[in-house]
């Protein structure tokens, strides 16, 4: 019998491979927050199995769980049967959108990106006091969160790049639109083309992204293939910084939160740590780090669609920072920064910022001491 | 042929009456636990239809009680309405114990999850049923203590589930199973009465051992709401080795002779030929393709102590024609030796669409007989059966791999299971060493237990739960006239 949906055509074998052991329950951030097994990866695979077997329909009744996955991939990392749940979820969301069953928040995101240049639908781009679209060695690509929500963070990064005398330019960037692939839609080709053309026009040899998701998108999506084909290197800011001599230090107790997009999805664990260890000898890991890191709860569209649970996931992460008495929680993803900052309780006295922000602060402090 | 219209109408009326009744019951349940703690959403009903086994059935609804008092009230209501109640932990069981065989209400206990006390001077921990095994382990670690049963599902499974199923694990040979650590319980009986069993003492011979009766009772006698566990100081040193055997007989003899050498390893695991072949075909571990591999771990508090024990083990291996022995010189090397054993379940699970993981257990001297018997059963029924397991306590896991969409194969699997159980019983063993009876083995209870034992079990069930509301359909306990 010909399968009705693409998810079944592509992933039937994997879904049946789920042995129902439930080990994902130990690591699923959505389950950890809600203690509701239907929202765990196993619950999702069981539903899809019943859909494939024609026992239940694929419809609105399944939105609450199938659209509530941060795609953090911790389940995949720990699955004895190697079921790639995030990829399956991304595909089934496309099938659901196709039949008209979609979470309104995601429908909204897609609609916004058809008209506007960023996921927030903001009309006026943030002014970062820099000339855009000039010829330069590097392009710094900020990303939507860094442009419209965490603009302070972005400002410090740009100042740092200036101070390091990096020959860079900003472009009139638009959303990379990679996230649409996660929430049931397709990447927006016209947006991708706008970004690619502008980057190429700068004659840059390298694009540095502030956002891990943009970095993944530029590296992996064929819509951005022109960049690599033209010999342009694509670096995340943490990769760029690891080779820079910073000559600043702090004796504060610093920890690092691995963003899923850098860590589990791309295996980038050491670059940020190399930089951090150089300036913070009192570096400590949280109980869960590297491939076991807890998710901040923002990914996969969950922050937009299920805000309350998303914040609760971030709170769970911050409990770990509290447990190790951290003074500073670093992370190099603006989405993580945004969600963790929103979740921070007043009694939690640690600071949450990006590695670049910390470097910037330390350099400024040094300047003050020297004068 | 189209059914006569009046029959259709009659059926519809029946269904609508049933829905109306269910609605009333759900409202009453929601009055007890609160509206937000009851669900009949499709997504929840589907997820609560399953556990780690191949069984499934839809419950009518599920509840997330938050207090012991709510559970007592729920049971009073269920007892009055003759409503099946299925207590559930993490749902990792492998024999259908948490599947709502007759519908009813799934009682998810995961939200009653506080560690109430850790008392090192008293050598005990008091926990609620929803506490995850690993969370207790993490809480005990700073004290240098642990709770030894170590079930493979320990990262997710709950202590309530561990107690209700008498969970065992890799360390069974030396440390026993959950049963050996439960000092006392708080249990709610089907009529809503709250009972305490056992004590906080290391020993007690006061009255019948009601605690033990509840350990492994699979939720059929009462709902466990508090558990007092004995805990152990955690050994700080281990030695690990892996031995290969060209001949199954030699491996079998090595296991039984181990018991003569004066020490008991903390783990003694065996992998049979078909498991080794499957691992080689699906991973890059590149294992030697022999009849059997035995992985052994000794533990203690100094390396001198664990090495001394390991030397005894190695002597036994050598006397029994081991082909090769690898001893771990570091923690990383030990992890590498464990890789094959740890990967077995997952590797086997993904080969075909379905599998059954059995856990027959025999007196240790019969390990080789059991392995050989499994091979002939596989041949007889033309099935792929790979075996691995805990040689140290005679508990093996034949994993039968099959295509569940092929009715002929399903039938052959059922026949093979029956043969496997008969084999274990014939060797003086038991149907199940650690996974429990549940639904999978209910039909085989009388194969192992004589009619008198079955009578006594049913009488016990009847006396605790006369209306058969607690996890009905499990363990072949139903008596005539049950719902």
């Amino acid at each position: 019998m010909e399968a009705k949906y693409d998810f079944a055509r592509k992933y039937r074998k994997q879904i049946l491979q789920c042995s129902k052991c439930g080990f994902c329950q130990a690591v699923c951030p959505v389950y950890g927050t809600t203690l509701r097994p239907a929202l765990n990866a196993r619950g999702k695979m069981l539903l899809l199995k019943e859909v494939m077997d024609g026992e239940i329909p694929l419809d609105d009744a399944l939105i609450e769980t199938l659209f509530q996955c941060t795609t953090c991939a911790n389940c995949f990392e720990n699955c004895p049967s190697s079921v790639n749940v995030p990829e399956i979820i991304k595909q089934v969301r496309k099938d659901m959108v196709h039949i008209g069953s979609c979470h309104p928040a995601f429908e909204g995101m897609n609609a916004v990106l058809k008209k506007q240049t960023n996921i927030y639908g903001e009309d006026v781009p943030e002014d970062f006091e820099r000339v855009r679209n000039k010829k330069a060695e590097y392009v710094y690509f900020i990303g939507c969160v860094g442009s419209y929500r965490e603009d302070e963070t972005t400002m410090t990064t740009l100042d740092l790049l200036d101070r390091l005398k990096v020959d860079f330019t900003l472009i009139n960037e638009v959303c990379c639109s990679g996230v649409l692939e996660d929430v049931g839609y397709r990447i927006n080709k016209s947006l991708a083309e706008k970004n690619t053309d502008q980057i190429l026009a700068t004659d840059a040899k390298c694009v540095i992204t502030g956002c891990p998701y943009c970095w993944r998108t530029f590296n992996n999506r064929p819509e951005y293939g022109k960049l690599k084909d033209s010999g342009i290197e694509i670096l995340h800011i943490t990769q760029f910084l690891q080779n820079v001599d910073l000559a600043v230090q702090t004796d504060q107790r610093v920890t690092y939160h691995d963003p899923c997009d850098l860590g589990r999805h791309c295996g980038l664990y050491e670059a940020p740590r190399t930089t951090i260890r150089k300036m913070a000898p009192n570096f400590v890991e949280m109980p869960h780090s590297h491939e076991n890191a807890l998710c901040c709860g923002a990914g996969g569209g969950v922050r937009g669609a299920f805000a309350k649970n998303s914040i609760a996931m971030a709170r769970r992460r911050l409990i770990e920072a509290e447990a190790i008495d951290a003074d500073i929680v670093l992370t190099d993803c603006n989405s993580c920064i945004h969600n963790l900052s929103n979740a921070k309780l007043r009694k939690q006295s640690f600071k949450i910022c990006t590695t670049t922000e910390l470097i910037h602060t330390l350099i400024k402090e040094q300047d003050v001491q020297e004068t | 042929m189209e059914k006569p219209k009046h029959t259709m109408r009659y059926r519809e009326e029946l269904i609508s009456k049933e829905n109306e009744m269910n609605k009333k019951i759900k409202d009453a349940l929601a009055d007890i636990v609160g509206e937000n703690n009851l669900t009949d959403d499709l997504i929840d009903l589907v997820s609560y239809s399953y556990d780690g086994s191949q069984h499934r059935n839809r419950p009518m609804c599920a509840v997330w009680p938050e207090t012991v008092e709510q559970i007592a009230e729920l049971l009073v209501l269920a007892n009055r309405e003759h409503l099946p109640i299925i207590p559930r932990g993490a749902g990792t069981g492998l024999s259908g114990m948490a599947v709502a065989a007759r519908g009813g209400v799934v009682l998810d206990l995961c939200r009653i999850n506080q560690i109430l006390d850790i008392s090192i001077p008293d050598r005990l921990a008091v926990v609620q049923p929803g506490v995850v095994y690993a969370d207790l382990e993490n809480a005990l670690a700073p004290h240098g203590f642990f709770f030894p049963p170590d079930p493979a599902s320990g990262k997710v499974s709950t202590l309530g589930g561990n107690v209700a199923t008498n969970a065992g694990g890799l360390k069974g040979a030396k440390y026993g199973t959950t049963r050996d650590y439960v000092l006392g319980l708080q249990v709610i009986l089907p009529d809503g009465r709250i009972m305490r069993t056992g004590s906080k003492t290391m020993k007690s011979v006061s009255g019948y051992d009601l605690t033990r009766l509840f350990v492994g009772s699979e939720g059929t006698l009462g709902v466990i709401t508090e558990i007092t566990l004995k805990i152990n100081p955690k050994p700080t040193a281990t030695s690990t080795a892996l031995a290969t055997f060209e001949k199954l007989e030699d491996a079998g003899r090595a296991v039984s002779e181990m018991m003569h050498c004066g020490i008991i390893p903390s783990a003694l695991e065996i992998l049979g030929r078909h498991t080794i072949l499957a691992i080689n075909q699906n991973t890059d571990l590149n294992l030697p393709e022999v009849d059997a591999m035995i992985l052994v771990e000794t533990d203690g508090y100094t390396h001198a102590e664990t090495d001394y024990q390991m030397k005894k083990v190695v002597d036994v291996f050598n006397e029994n024609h081991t082909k090769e022995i690898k001893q771990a010189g570091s923690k990383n090397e030990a992890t590498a030796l464990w890789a094959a054993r740890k990967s077995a379940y997952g590797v086997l699970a993904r080969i075909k669409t379905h599998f059954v993981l059995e856990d027959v257990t025999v007196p240790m001297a019969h390990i080789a007989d059991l392995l050989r018997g499994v091979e002939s059963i596989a041949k007889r029924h033309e099935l792929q059966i790979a075996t691995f397991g805990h040689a140290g306590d005679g508990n093996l896991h034949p994993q039968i791999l099959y295509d569940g969409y092929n009715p002929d194969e399903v039938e052959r699997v059922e026949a093979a299971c029956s043969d496997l159980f008969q084999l274990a019983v014939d060797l003086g063993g038991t149907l199940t060493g650690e996974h429990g009876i549940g639904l999978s083995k209910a039909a085989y209870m009388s194969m192992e237990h004589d009619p008198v034992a079955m009578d006594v079990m049913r009488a016990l069930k009847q006396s605790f739960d006369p209306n058969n509301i607690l996890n009905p359909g499990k363990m072949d306990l139903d008596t005539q006239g049950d719902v």
Side-chain angles (χ1 to χ4, degrees):
Chain A
M1 195 181 71
E2 174 64 11
K4 200 168 162 190
Y5 299 109
D6 279 344
F7 84 83
R9 270 187 283 277
K10 284 190 190 162
Y11 296 112
R12 179 183 168 81
K13 191 167 176 284
Q14 275 207 46
I15 293 165
L16 295 181
Q17 224 164 269
C18 164
S19 68
K20 307 193 285 291
C21 68
F23 287 10
C24 39
Q25 215 159 276
V27 295
C28 173
V30 187
Y31 176 80
T33 299
T34 60
L35 297 183
R36 192 172 164 196
L39 305 183
N40 179 33
R42 172 172 67 172
K44 292 170 162 74
M45 293 305 102
L46 290 171
L47 283 164
L48 295 184
K49 187 179 168 294
E50 293 211 352
V51 170
M52 290 195 303
D53 288 345
E55 294 182 28
I56 57 169
L58 189 67
D59 64 16
D60 287 3
L62 311 191
I63 287 177
E64 189 178 4
T65 177
L66 295 178
F67 282 83
Q68 192 163 192
C69 164
T70 65
T71 64
C72 77
N74 213 343
C75 52
F76 181 36
E77 188 74 41
N78 285 281
C79 178
S81 305
S82 300
V83 181
N84 191 341
V85 177
E87 286 304 316
I88 297 169
I89 292 295
K90 280 156 70 173
Q91 181 56 54
V92 75
R93 285 174 175 180
K94 287 182 175 142
D95 286 313
M96 290 180 77
V97 165
H98 188 69
I99 59 171
S101 277
C102 177
H103 191 285
F106 299 162
E107 247 171 89
M109 192 190 285
N110 186 53
V112 161
L113 284 180
K114 274 187 177 160
K115 285 191 235 139
Q116 241 111 357
T117 59
N118 58 81
I119 52 170
Y120 301 110
E122 301 275 4
D123 292 326
V124 189
E126 206 54 49
D127 176 21
F128 288 107
E129 302 153 19
R130 301 289 193 289
V131 183
R132 293 178 186 245
N133 297 73
K134 58 174 187 172
K135 301 276 180 204
E137 217 177 327
Y138 293 90
V139 168
Y140 185 73
F141 192 90
I142 308 167
C144 294
V145 189
S147 295
Y148 299 97
R149 292 294 181 268
E150 294 295 325
D151 43 321
E152 287 294 317
T153 306
T154 301
M155 210 53 193
T156 58
T157 309
L158 302 181
D159 285 350
L160 180 67
L161 292 176
D162 279 343
R163 200 178 267 268
L164 294 170
K165 301 198 167 39
V166 178
D167 172 26
F168 78 97
T169 179
L170 302 178
I171 58 166
N172 286 323
E173 63 176 67
V174 293
C175 176
C176 76
S177 83
V179 68
L180 289 176
E181 292 280 337
D182 283 9
V183 299
Y185 295 88
R186 303 267 170 208
I187 201 164
N188 184 319
K189 280 185 186 158
S190 101
L191 293 179
E193 213 164 286
K194 272 186 198 156
N195 285 328
T196 325
D197 290 350
Q198 289 186 78
I199 292 170
L200 290 174
T202 64
D203 291 336
K205 62 168 190 181
C206 176
V207 181
I208 304 170
T209 74
C211 165
Y213 204 99
C214 301
W215 178 63
R216 270 179 79 192
T217 306
F218 288 175
N219 266 308
N220 304 331
R221 296 296 314 180
E223 292 78 0
Y224 285 93
K226 255 202 242 169
L227 296 179
K228 276 189 173 171
D229 292 347
S230 315
I232 295 178
E233 198 181 3
I234 300 151
L235 293 180
H236 182 254
I237 182 78
T238 56
Q239 292 174 305
F240 176 78
L241 287 176
Q242 68 175 333
N243 299 318
V244 176
D245 188 16
L246 295 161
V248 283
Q249 279 228 332
T250 174
D251 48 15
Q252 285 187 294
R253 209 168 153 80
V254 174
T255 191
Y256 176 71
H257 162 74
D258 288 280
C260 308
D261 282 319
L262 289 185
R264 274 186 293 269
H265 284 292
C266 298
L268 193 75
Y269 298 110
E270 287 317 311
R273 285 177 171 81
T274 306
T275 310
I276 297 166
R277 282 206 183 93
K278 273 192 278 188
M279 61 177 171
N282 276 332
F283 176 73
V284 271
E285 295 284 5
M286 283 187 265
H288 293 88
S289 71
H290 294 81
E291 57 274 8
N292 296 318
L294 301 187
C295 171
C296 80
V302 170
R303 183 178 53 212
F306 301 93
K308 199 173 143 221
N309 287 345
S310 175
I311 287 289
M313 288 178 237
R315 293 240 153 94
R316 290 181 77 223
R317 186 47 162 160
L318 294 180
I319 287 172
E320 295 211 330
E322 218 181 332
I324 56 160
D325 282 330
D327 297 316
I328 301 174
V329 178
L330 295 180
T331 187
D332 287 310
C333 166
N334 285 325
S335 268
C336 295
I337 287 277
H338 189 59
N339 222 36
L340 293 174
S341 304
N342 284 344
K344 190 167 99 74
L345 302 172
R346 193 175 302 183
K347 64 162 185 153
Q348 294 172 322
S349 55
F350 47 74
K351 189 179 168 204
I352 302 170
C353 65
T354 61
T355 309
T356 36
E357 263 183 296
L358 177 61
I359 297 168
H360 190 258
T361 313
L362 294 176
I363 291 178
K364 275 205 304 199
E365 281 171 13
Q366 208 174 39
D367 287 353
V368 172
Q369 276 165 15
E370 277 167 14
T371 53
Chain B
M1 198 182 75
E2 207 181 318
K3 282 187 180 162
K5 278 213 170 115
H6 66 272
T7 318
M8 291 278 282
R9 198 177 311 132
Y10 178 65
R11 272 179 54 82
E12 274 164 23
E13 270 172 25
L14 266 184
I15 290 171
S16 104
K17 254 190 198 155
E18 197 184 309
N19 287 343
E20 209 176 294
M21 255 172 57
N22 287 349
K23 169 96 183 39
K24 267 190 195 152
I25 287 174
K26 285 179 203 168
D27 287 346
L29 290 166
D31 281 345
I32 297 170
V33 292
E35 214 177 312
N36 292 334
N37 287 337
L38 177 139
T39 177
D40 58 357
D41 289 357
L42 176 72
I43 58 171
D44 295 306
L45 297 188
V46 169
S47 120
Y48 285 126
S49 300
Y50 298 82
D51 61 2
S53 72
Q54 300 296 347
H55 298 280
R56 63 161 187 164
N57 198 42
R58 287 272 195 282
M60 176 182 81
C61 63
V63 288
W64 295 294
E66 286 172 338
T67 65
V68 172
E69 291 69 30
Q70 286 177 354
I71 300 173
E73 274 187 69
L74 285 171
L75 289 185
V76 170
L77 171 74
N79 208 27
R80 192 177 64 223
E81 302 291 337
H82 290 215
L83 188 66
I85 294 281
I86 301 90
R88 182 181 172 107
T92 57
L94 291 160
S95 61
M97 285 177 289
V99 173
R102 309 242 170 95
V105 183
V106 168
L107 186 68
D108 185 338
L109 292 157
C110 288
R111 298 185 186 184
I112 301 191
N113 58 358
Q114 298 303 308
I115 297 176
L116 301 174
D117 188 22
I118 290 176
S119 172
I120 300 300
D122 293 329
R123 199 186 152 190
L124 57 81
V126 184
V127 299
Q128 290 188 318
V131 172
V132 172
Y133 179 94
D135 290 341
L136 177 63
E137 201 171 55
N138 291 337
L140 291 175
H143 303 281
F145 270 71
F146 80 130
F147 172 51
D150 193 22
S153 57
K155 276 188 186 163
V156 265
S157 62
T158 62
L159 292 164
N162 291 166
V163 171
T165 63
N166 187 19
L170 288 172
K171 300 206 167 90
K174 184 166 180 176
Y175 292 101
T177 58
T178 305
R179 168 171 294 148
D180 302 307
Y181 298 88
V182 185
L183 299 174
L185 297 171
Q186 182 193 58
V187 177
I188 306 183
L189 299 178
D191 58 10
R193 285 182 298 163
I194 300 177
M195 169 172 81
R196 283 205 174 267
T197 74
S199 73
K200 291 196 167 191
T201 58
M202 285 298 116
K203 51 204 252 189
S204 165
V205 287
S206 176
Y208 288 147
D209 192 344
L210 294 174
T211 308
R212 278 209 166 203
L213 180 59
F214 276 86
V215 179
S217 63
E218 303 188 1
T220 61
L221 298 178
V223 177
I224 297 165
T225 47
E226 192 186 294
I227 305 158
T228 304
L229 293 168
K230 179 162 83 178
I231 52 176
N232 276 14
K234 194 175 170 70
T236 45
T238 56
S239 295
T240 310
L242 182 70
T244 55
F245 294 86
E246 294 272 26
K247 284 192 189 143
L248 186 56
E249 284 69 22
D250 290 329
R253 208 176 322 105
V255 170
S256 44
E257 283 187 10
M258 190 85 65
M259 298 304 141
H260 291 294
C261 81
I263 66 109
I264 294 183
S266 51
L268 184 62
E269 297 289 304
I270 191 164
L271 301 177
R273 175 177 281 274
H274 289 285
T275 304
I276 296 170
L277 295 182
I279 291 174
N280 275 355
Q281 278 158 18
N282 294 282
T283 68
D284 49 12
L285 287 177
N286 211 2
L287 307 172
E289 300 195 340
V290 289
D291 260 12
M293 290 172 68
I294 296 182
L295 181 86
V296 59
E297 182 193 272
T298 56
D299 72 355
Y301 297 89
T302 64
H303 282 291
E305 188 188 350
T306 58
D307 288 347
Y308 169 81
Q309 296 179 66
M310 187 54 82
K311 190 184 168 302
K312 296 266 189 187
V313 172
V314 169
D315 287 347
V316 174
F317 285 157
N318 282 329
E319 281 158 25
N320 288 286
H321 318 293
T322 177
K323 189 185 172 203
E324 192 193 2
I325 303 176
K326 279 187 195 159
Q327 284 186 257
S330 66
K331 222 176 181 180
N332 282 347
E333 281 178 38
T335 309
L337 294 186
W338 271 101
R341 169 63 184 88
K342 295 255 174 182
S343 70
Y345 164 84
V347 164
L348 296 172
R350 70 186 88 146
I351 291 176
K352 293 207 172 174
T353 58
H354 292 69
F355 68 82
V356 183
L357 183 67
E358 293 298 356
D359 64 322
V360 284
T361 306
V362 295
M364 262 115 66
H366 287 302
I367 285 285
D369 300 327
L370 181 59
L371 278 167
R372 207 176 305 106
V374 171
E375 278 183 21
S376 78
I377 289 170
K379 238 180 236 161
R380 187 154 69 244
H381 297 284
E382 295 173 44
L383 287 168
Q384 187 176 357
I385 310 183
T387 307
F388 58 93
H390 322 304
D393 55 17
N395 179 193
L396 291 191
H397 294 307
Q399 196 162 346
I400 311 178
L401 318 176
Y402 67 102
D403 174 2
Y405 294 93
N406 176 346
D408 169 60
E409 218 170 312
V410 173
E411 221 168 272
R412 279 186 280 130
V413 171
E414 279 162 20
C417 285
S418 173
D419 286 1
L420 182 64
F421 297 141
Q422 192 64 57
L423 170 68
V425 171
D426 289 347
L427 290 170
T430 174
L431 307 175
T432 171
E434 56 186 14
H435 298 167
I437 295 293
L439 293 170
S440 306
K441 305 174 196 99
Y444 303 98
M445 278 289 276
S446 334
M447 192 186 265
E448 179 178 343
H449 304 286
D450 61 43
V452 184
M454 286 310 300
D455 268 358
V456 172
M457 284 196 233
R458 287 179 184 136
L460 278 169
K461 166 74 175 171
Q462 181 77 27
S463 123
F464 278 96
D465 182 18
N467 293 328
N468 195 20
I469 59 159
L470 279 174
N471 212 1
K474 311 294 159 68
M475 272 165 64
D476 197 22
L477 292 172
D478 295 353
T479 42
Q480 263 193 335
D482 281 340
V483 202

